[in-house]
Amino acid sequence: MRFLFVLFASFLLSSSVSNAQERITSIYDIGDNQRYILKEIDGQKYMLIIDKFDMLKVYQFNGDNLEFQHAQKFEGLQFDYDYYMTDHFLVFQNNEGGIAYNFVSNETKYFPFPEGFNSNTWLSHSSYGDEIVLTQSIKNFTERESKYIDLNTNEELNLDYGFSYRITDEYIYLLEPPNNSFSNHIFIDKKTFEIDSISLFDVDFRETVVQGERQLYVLGNELRIRDIKSQTDELLYAIPELFNFARIESIQDHYALILNLPNFTEEITLIDKENLQVQNTISIDKVDNLYPRIIDSKLIFHHGTDIYIYDLITEENTVLNTSSSGIENFEIVDDQYLIFSGREWSPIEILRTIGLYDLKSESTILLEPIIGSPYTRTDVLKIADNKLLVNYDDDEDDKTNLFEINLDQFTAAPSTKYSSVYNGMSSESFVFKVAEDVLLYSKDLHYISEEGVVQLNIDPISEIDYEPFKIFEDHITG
């Protein structure tokens, strides 16, 4: 029904609409149908704004002031939820192939589909810096092509499809699907493109980590270390107990060996990267992913929707109840403030708030604004000594996504300085004509004239195109 009103309005609108158009866009409605991306790179801080007309605008922070840099229009970007960030690029797709947009230099790179292909996947989990793997395929995925791309240098390398891919600081790392439980681990030197490989029994990406010229992997009850250049291999750690399965993660100065034990609890063994000695062994219930750094002797990880903060010195464990899961849904600022989606219970529903945990004082504060759900990612940017900007990216229109946190007062509020000037009308808004009057619906009913836009003094309207609100040629009934 909404589209009928739009067609009706577009046919009947007089010149007064165009004269008042600039004033209309200044209306600040509840909610915000724009999408935001916060990013810090090379010591500079950026905000990318995607509006509902697919315009991507790039702003740079100068102190806490936001300065416009450049803009590009990309058809369909507002509703493309498969975009990802590398260091300097926003990567996404349209109906012609892959697109990589350098938001710093305002340069766009295109990767057209091969003939007959129409599906595009950027393997963001495999990226390193501005290096990424792009996979393109036909609609039923029976034919696929993959390639490594350095978006900075434009260097490309075709990769065999069917492998799993990782990009490390020195290698393009490919894992071949197992054959009789043996898998080929292939290492392509990014400078020379020389290839090295090793076949390992029952070792996949969970049981191995590659950093520099080292490969650590679990083989049986042994944690082994291999020098990729010299192709030498030795025992690093003899696992002292039975386990169901193991995985290895790299967290800054440590390797973390995570064992799932027969009683279905888990154990984390931390190994110092410099001296390759065991530092800590921690028994916990479960761990999904580790935060990539240890901060003030605190190991941070999450399981389900809970965040765990384990003090390696006192061996005390703090649990934060959240309304989201995943490392990507919380961030740490200044190695002190952990920002997450908090959870409170009301008599009828779960309320999602902005949570702040102070790692130094070990205190938790749930801030006032209610956050809509669902959302897919949290971005946090410090824009002043006492101010954080927090963005919750989601797949719903007309919600407030951008919030400011005052660290002096520990308060939070929807952003007005950085979002209100870009907000227009709700995506539910439209203009229509009744007799000779041009009216605008945007949460409330407004009268449009050449002098401006005036809100009519009537009760708020939730939806204009649903019963019992009806529009006739010369009147409205409520």
Side-chain angles (χ1 to χ4, degrees), residues 211-328:
Q211 195 166 44
E213 297 179 2
R214 289 176 176 170
Q215 179 190 15
L216 274 71
Y217 61 93
V218 177
L219 190 62
N221 271 58
E222 295 181 343
L223 176 62
R224 302 191 65 84
I225 183 167
R226 179 173 182 264
D227 188 294
I228 299 171
K229 285 285 187 188
S230 65
Q231 301 184 12
T232 56
D233 188 292
E234 61 180 297
L235 173 67
L236 177 61
Y237 174 64
I239 301 173
E241 54 194 328
L242 295 175
F243 59 93
N244 299 321
F245 54 85
R247 68 185 192 272
I248 309 173
E249 295 188 28
S250 175
I251 50 172
Q252 198 176 25
D253 298 329
H254 294 81
Y255 299 114
L257 172 66
I258 305 171
L259 303 177
N260 182 275
L261 303 178
N263 63 0
F264 299 106
T265 62
E266 295 192 324
E267 182 179 272
I268 303 174
T269 299
L270 297 177
I271 299 171
D272 189 286
K273 288 182 180 178
E274 185 174 353
N275 59 31
L276 298 177
Q277 298 298 308
V278 172
Q279 299 293 301
N280 298 83
T281 299
I282 306 154
S283 296
I284 55 174
D285 289 334
K286 289 285 183 180
V287 55
D288 294 338
N289 291 104
L290 296 171
Y291 188 73
R293 292 188 298 118
I294 295 174
I295 300 175
D296 289 337
S297 299
K298 293 180 174 68
L299 180 71
I300 302 167
F301 57 92
H302 80 90
H303 171 58
T305 59
D306 291 331
I307 300 172
Y308 294 80
I309 303 164
Y310 183 89
D311 193 308
L312 297 173
I313 297 175
T314 65
E315 300 184 353
E316 293 181 352
N317 203 15
T318 300
V319 182
L320 305 177
N321 300 124
T322 78
S323 58
S324 61
S325 61
I327 293 292
E328 68 276 7

Side-chain angles (χ1 to χ4, degrees), residues 122-364:
W122 293 99
L123 303 182
S124 61
H125 63 278
S126 304
S127 65
Y128 181 86
D130 288 319
E131 303 165 42
I132 196 167
V133 173
L134 172 63
T135 294
Q136 296 176 316
S137 64
I138 64 175
K139 190 172 183 178
N140 62 6
F141 302 107
T142 56
E143 293 183 47
R144 305 185 189 188
E145 294 181 3
S146 296
K147 58 184 173 183
Y148 157 86
I149 304 170
D150 186 329
L151 294 171
N152 281 323
T153 65
N154 297 319
E155 193 162 40
E156 297 184 13
L157 178 67
N158 290 329
L159 302 173
D160 290 336
Y161 177 73
F163 288 66
S164 299
Y165 312 105
R166 294 280 171 86
I167 303 172
T168 72
D169 48 353
E170 296 191 24
Y171 293 94
I172 307 166
Y173 173 27
L174 288 73
L175 178 62
E176 187 178 21
N179 182 13
N180 294 326
S181 296
F182 280 89
S183 297
N184 276 329
H185 296 247
I186 301 168
F187 303 91
I188 304 174
D189 189 302
K190 292 194 298 188
K191 294 179 181 178
T192 65
F193 289 152
E194 292 180 354
I195 298 176
D196 172 57
S197 66
I198 182 175
S199 182
L200 297 172
F201 179 78
D202 200 25
V203 175
D204 63 19
F205 273 153
R206 292 179 305 171
E207 291 106 14
T208 187
V209 64
V210 175
Q211 195 166 44
E213 297 179 2
R214 289 176 176 170
Q215 179 190 15
L216 274 71
Y217 61 93
V218 177
L219 190 62
N221 271 58
E222 295 181 343
L223 176 62
R224 302 191 65 84
I225 183 167
R226 179 173 182 264
D227 188 294
I228 299 171
K229 285 285 187 188
S230 65
Q231 301 184 12
T232 56
D233 188 292
E234 61 180 297
L235 173 67
L236 177 61
Y237 174 64
I239 301 173
E241 54 194 328
L242 295 175
F243 59 93
N244 299 321
F245 54 85
R247 68 185 192 272
I248 309 173
E249 295 188 28
S250 175
I251 50 172
Q252 198 176 25
D253 298 329
H254 294 81
Y255 299 114
L257 172 66
I258 305 171
L259 303 177
N260 182 275
L261 303 178
N263 63 0
F264 299 106
T265 62
E266 295 192 324
E267 182 179 272
I268 303 174
T269 299
L270 297 177
I271 299 171
D272 189 286
K273 288 182 180 178
E274 185 174 353
N275 59 31
L276 298 177
Q277 298 298 308
V278 172
Q279 299 293 301
N280 298 83
T281 299
I282 306 154
S283 296
I284 55 174
D285 289 334
K286 289 285 183 180
V287 55
D288 294 338
N289 291 104
L290 296 171
Y291 188 73
R293 292 188 298 118
I294 295 174
I295 300 175
D296 289 337
S297 299
K298 293 180 174 68
L299 180 71
I300 302 167
F301 57 92
H302 80 90
H303 171 58
T305 59
D306 291 331
I307 300 172
Y308 294 80
I309 303 164
Y310 183 89
D311 193 308
L312 297 173
I313 297 175
T314 65
E315 300 184 353
E316 293 181 352
N317 203 15
T318 300
V319 182
L320 305 177
N321 300 124
T322 78
S323 58
S324 61
S325 61
I327 293 292
E328 68 276 7
N329 281 320
F330 72 85
E331 289 202 26
I332 298 175
V333 178
D334 290 345
D335 285 351
Q336 180 173 0
Y337 301 110
L338 189 155
I339 311 299
F340 64 99
S341 173
R343 184 172 61 191
E344 291 183 325
W345 283 265
S346 77
I348 59 174
E349 62 180 336
I350 297 175
L351 302 178
R352 296 165 176 85
T353 65
I354 298 176
L356 184 150
Y357 180 80
D358 190 326
L359 292 167
K360 295 189 183 300
S361 67
E362 300 183 347
S363 58
T364 304

